[in-house]
Amino acid sequence: MKGKIIKSTGSWYQVLELETNKIFEARIRGKFKLIKTRLTNPLAVGDFVEFQLEQDDIAWITKIEPRTNYLIRKSVNLSKEAHIIASNIDLACFIFTLKHPETSLGFLDRFLACCEAYNITPVILFNKMDVLHEEEIEIVKDVEFLYQEIGYETLEISSYSKLNLDQLQEVLKDKTSVFFGHSGCGKSTLVNALQPGLNLKTSEISDTHLKGKHTTTFAQMHFWDFGGNVIDTPGVREFAMIDIEKEEVQHYFPEIFKKREECKFHNCLHVNEPKCAVIDALETGEIQHSRYATYIKLMDEAEEASQK
């Protein structure tokens, strides 16, 4: 039987049988290893699998189909290296909040680089627009313009005032999407606003640290009445780029990759090489310092990983 993983709690999974849409509780039989890096989870929500039924309608997963793509985060468990957040994704929506909680541009850039690396279309959603003052709205519009210029799709939204939620539905329709952002950025509230009746658990921002509390503790797929589905995930603090060489990182920053053709040396890494078009563009403001800082950080991490 063929199915799709729609919920993962770590040891148990829910599998949606593709022909009948019946849902089975499932466990793994055998070992799965499809990428080089050691993983804390062999299966992720979004994976297509084969399974067998035994007594009491318990399903045993026997095979995983190759993934078209996946997103990964660094594992909290130090004995392992990474954790697959979701797989076979059409669209990854990054929920950016200027405050409550504040989203760093470095976190957004890391997310976008991961989407480029694993061939996933990203959309940046500027959320909680209804709580911003005029000056703060201008800041958001400046950030939005910066990423639109690079070529990324953006949308200003609010779950409470319903700002642009009809447009967002059109973007999400008939696709497998995943929502990302810091805990407290409004992922579950947004899912509830787009699909009334789901009643996903939400929580207030902690006043002490102005950070969100984790309300989603495991990944789960929810289905939209307007077509398609979303994978709701726990708040992610850090994305990982695994099995990637230092020289590859520039491929995942479109504005840097485009400029590289003007560099004097074909193997320029844009650090301190002479006649580097990227460093020139940095000085003129054509490339943003925040983006470049993330680029350098990811190169350093790739080099460290290759030496382990």
Side-chain angles (χ1 to χ4, degrees):
M1 299 172 80
K2 293 183 182 293
K4 178 161 68 173
I5 305 288
I6 61 168
K7 184 176 178 180
S8 163
T9 62
S11 52
W12 282 86
Y13 302 89
Q14 278 187 352
V15 182
L16 178 73
E17 207 268 315
L18 296 179
E19 279 189 25
T20 63
N21 280 345
K22 189 176 176 185
I23 294 171
F24 296 94
E25 297 293 320
R27 300 197 79 164
I28 293 174
R29 175 165 287 164
K31 291 186 177 179
F32 302 113
K33 190 168 176 62
L34 294 185
I35 55 179
K36 290 188 289 180
T37 299
R38 290 187 303 160
L39 296 170
T40 56
N41 62 326
L43 284 176
V45 173
D47 277 338
F48 289 97
V49 296
E50 289 184 11
F51 65 97
Q52 299 170 346
L53 284 183
E54 295 192 1
Q55 68 264 29
D56 304 324
D57 269 359
I58 296 293
W60 287 95
I61 297 164
T62 54
K63 184 184 175 186
I64 174 172
E65 300 294 341
R67 299 175 176 119
T68 56
N69 58 36
Y70 50 83
L71 271 171
I72 263 184
R73 68 168 167 80
K74 288 185 176 175
S75 176
V76 179
N77 175 359
L78 297 178
S79 67
K80 304 284 184 182
E81 290 182 19
H83 181 95
I84 297 182
I85 301 165
S87 67
N88 301 316
I89 306 154
D90 298 315
L91 207 60
C93 299
F94 185 91
I95 301 179
F96 182 102
T97 45
L98 190 66
K99 60 183 186 182
H100 309 312
E102 181 183 349
T103 306
S104 74
L105 293 181
F107 186 59
L108 170 56
D109 290 335
R110 185 180 284 269
F111 164 83
L112 292 171
C114 285
C115 287
E116 296 281 353
Y118 299 117
N119 198 28
I120 299 165
T121 302
V123 177
I124 308 167
L125 303 177
F126 292 91
N127 195 21
K128 303 189 184 182
M129 294 299 293
D130 55 313
V131 303
L132 301 181
H133 304 304
E134 202 171 313
E135 299 83 1
E136 293 168 331
I137 290 171
E138 286 307 310
I139 293 170
V140 167
K141 289 194 179 295
D142 286 345
V143 173
E144 191 174 7
F145 179 73
L146 190 161
Y147 287 94
Q148 285 173 343
E149 283 288 283
I150 296 167
Y152 291 114
E153 185 177 353
T154 69
L155 190 64
E156 296 172 15
I157 62 166
S158 165
S159 300
Y160 291 103
S161 71
K162 309 292 190 224
L163 174 69
N164 290 332
L165 291 196
D166 51 346
Q167 279 182 251
L168 182 55
Q169 283 190 354
E170 284 304 311
V171 172
L172 301 172
K173 189 177 178 182
D174 299 332
K175 293 185 172 71
T176 291
S177 307
V178 63
F179 288 177
F180 287 102
H182 290 304
S183 298
C185 71
K187 292 186 298 295
S188 298
T189 304
L190 180 58
V191 173
N192 287 339
L194 289 164
Q195 184 65 40
L198 267 182
N199 299 321
L200 298 191
K201 189 180 172 189
T202 62
S203 75
E204 298 302 314
I205 298 292
S206 152
D207 290 332
T208 338
H209 302 294
L210 290 178
K211 289 183 179 173
K213 304 166 189 171
H214 289 295
T215 48
T216 305
T217 53
F218 45 77
Q220 183 168 3
M221 185 177 284
H222 303 287
F223 294 86
W224 305 124
D225 284 347
F226 53 84
N229 55 71
V230 63
I231 300 172
D232 190 29
T233 63
V236 176
R237 288 195 175 88
E238 192 167 8
F239 293 99
M241 293 177 72
I242 61 167
D243 302 334
I244 282 170
E245 302 295 325
K246 178 181 177 179
E247 293 74 19
E248 287 178 56
V249 176
Q250 62 181 300
H251 293 233
Y252 312 130
F253 287 77
E255 72 277 40
I256 291 176
F257 193 61
K258 188 176 170 186
K259 271 283 168 194
R260 88 198 193 289
E261 295 172 3
E262 299 170 30
C263 294
K264 181 179 180 183
F265 299 104
H266 74 277
N267 58 349
C268 186
L269 290 178
H270 325 301
V271 181
N272 50 21
E273 297 91 338
K275 297 190 178 175
C276 169
V278 169
I279 291 172
D280 290 346
L282 197 62
E283 288 170 3
T284 61
E286 201 178 337
I287 289 174
Q288 295 298 315
H289 283 272
S290 55
R291 296 268 300 161
Y292 182 75
T294 306
Y295 164 68
I296 294 294
K297 192 158 191 247
L298 289 175
M299 276 212 304
D300 290 344
E301 287 175 14
E303 187 167 36
E304 279 174 34
S306 70
Q307 291 170 356
K308 284 182 183 176

